[in-house]
Amino acid sequence: MTYELAQVTPIILMLNVHASRVNDLTQPDTVVTDPPVPMAGYHDGFGNWCTRLVAPAGRFTIRTDGIIRDSGQWDTRDASAREVAIPDLEPETLVFLLGSRYCETDLLSETAWKLFGQSPPGWARVQAICDYVHDHISFGYEHSRATRTAAEAFKERRGVCRDYAHLALAFCRCLNIPARYCTGYISDIGLPQPHAPQDFAAWIEVFLEGPSGGRWHVFDPRNNDPRIGRILVARGRDAADVPLSLTFGQHTLTNFQVTADEVAGSPGT
């Protein structure tokens, strides 16, 4: 990412892989800046790793590059997973039942119950939500708007991956299913050519109960199909909690490039 900064600018970054994937790194994804500046890290309230720095005025570039070992398997499905009754939910999941900056459960609750109230509870209901959102919203980078909420995405029927995620999150929460926002890398490994331009991506995780107990399951309303090499960077209530970069000053983003490729000759990486 390259910025043109009008003045000295504090920045907070979320660019390193999530703590749950750190042990899979075979080459650390160290953040490097040009020009170099001092940096400090911390964990936010959701456990995401953040980097703080103060950038000088002018041209400023931020990059990170790492290698991570992945299973090479497609996203898993568990069609038998059940919804968990609210009294039985783990306390840390309860915040993901609430409305948030981009997910207005109060505005969408009636719609959610009309659309999905008769769907079989559990995995099938969440998949019905993802199917609906995938078909309801038309994707296009030209439709990107940082202020668009779930209710607006429902009305406008267009957006980018974060809008798909926000609408699916809001519907799940309206139906008393804990759901959280995820951001990270989604590779094109195993998919036919031609590939679309790469980018960071947003998906969701939903708390359901299977034979081994309750856990978070991945759903992807934007792509609505399994992927190989889904690498988590951060989780939160919605996009407001997990910005890739948060700049505290006037700036222009002049270059942005994302690459997620399989390393040749390294099976399982």
Side-chain angles (χ1 to χ4, degrees):
M1 294 187 291
T2 299
Y3 288 99
E4 290 292 338
L5 302 172
Q7 66 278 315
V8 173
T9 304
I11 301 177
I12 299 176
L13 304 171
M14 284 191 196
L15 292 174
N16 297 104
V17 299
H18 192 263
S20 61
R21 299 303 305 269
V22 166
N23 290 337
D24 295 326
L25 286 168
T26 61
Q27 175 184 306
D29 58 340
T30 305
V31 174
V32 177
T33 67
D34 183 17
V37 297
M39 290 180 281
Y42 69 96
H43 285 104
D44 69 6
F46 295 97
N48 303 310
W49 183 251
C50 306
T51 300
R52 299 177 66 182
L53 58 87
V54 178
R59 187 175 186 271
F60 187 69
T61 298
I62 304 161
R63 62 172 56 88
T64 181
D65 185 24
I67 299 176
I68 191 164
R69 182 176 292 108
D70 192 67
S71 68
Q73 303 299 309
W74 298 93
D75 294 332
T76 60
R77 295 174 52 88
D78 184 0
S80 66
R82 307 179 302 274
E83 293 177 23
V84 181
I86 291 178
D88 299 328
L89 284 168
E90 299 293 333
E92 61 269 20
T93 69
L94 297 177
V95 68
F96 299 107
L97 288 173
L98 307 179
S100 56
R101 164 69 178 85
Y102 290 105
C103 301
E104 313 102 317
T105 53
D106 54 341
L107 299 181
L108 290 168
S109 181
E110 183 177 354
T111 299
W113 281 102
K114 284 181 178 178
L115 289 173
F116 310 109
Q118 302 305 312
S119 300
W123 184 280
R125 176 173 284 169
V126 179
Q127 188 58 60
I129 290 171
C130 291
D131 291 342
Y132 177 89
V133 172
H134 178 78
D135 294 337
H136 186 78
I137 296 178
S138 174
F139 181 87
Y141 287 112
E142 70 275 15
H143 303 322
S144 178
R145 189 175 77 239
T147 59
R148 183 182 288 115
T149 67
E152 290 170 338
F154 176 73
K155 181 179 179 180
E156 297 173 17
R157 305 189 63 165
R158 61 185 184 180
V160 292
C161 59
R162 61 181 268 160
D163 301 304
Y164 289 74
H166 286 150
L167 184 54
L169 288 174
F171 281 152
C172 286
R173 294 175 189 172
C174 288
L175 297 166
N176 301 324
I177 306 171
R180 61 191 184 187
Y181 185 97
C182 299
T183 185
Y185 300 97
I186 298 179
S187 81
D188 297 318
I189 296 170
L191 298 180
Q193 297 277 4
H195 295 153
Q198 295 187 336
D199 196 355
F200 284 100
W203 62 91
I204 70 173
E205 291 179 341
V206 175
F207 194 82
L208 298 170
E209 186 175 57
S212 58
R215 67 179 182 88
W216 294 96
H217 297 259
V218 168
F219 289 85
D220 186 346
R222 159 66 182 98
N223 296 296
N224 208 28
D225 59 13
R227 292 298 181 96
I228 295 173
R230 189 184 297 272
I231 310 300
L232 180 68
V233 170
R235 297 184 180 112
R237 292 166 297 183
D238 58 32
D241 291 330
V242 292
L244 298 171
S245 63
L246 185 61
T247 54
F248 296 87
Q250 183 180 353
H251 66 277
T252 302
L253 180 64
T254 60
N255 183 59
F256 181 76
Q257 182 178 356
V258 179
T259 303
D261 292 325
E262 188 173 12
V263 177
S266 300
T269 302

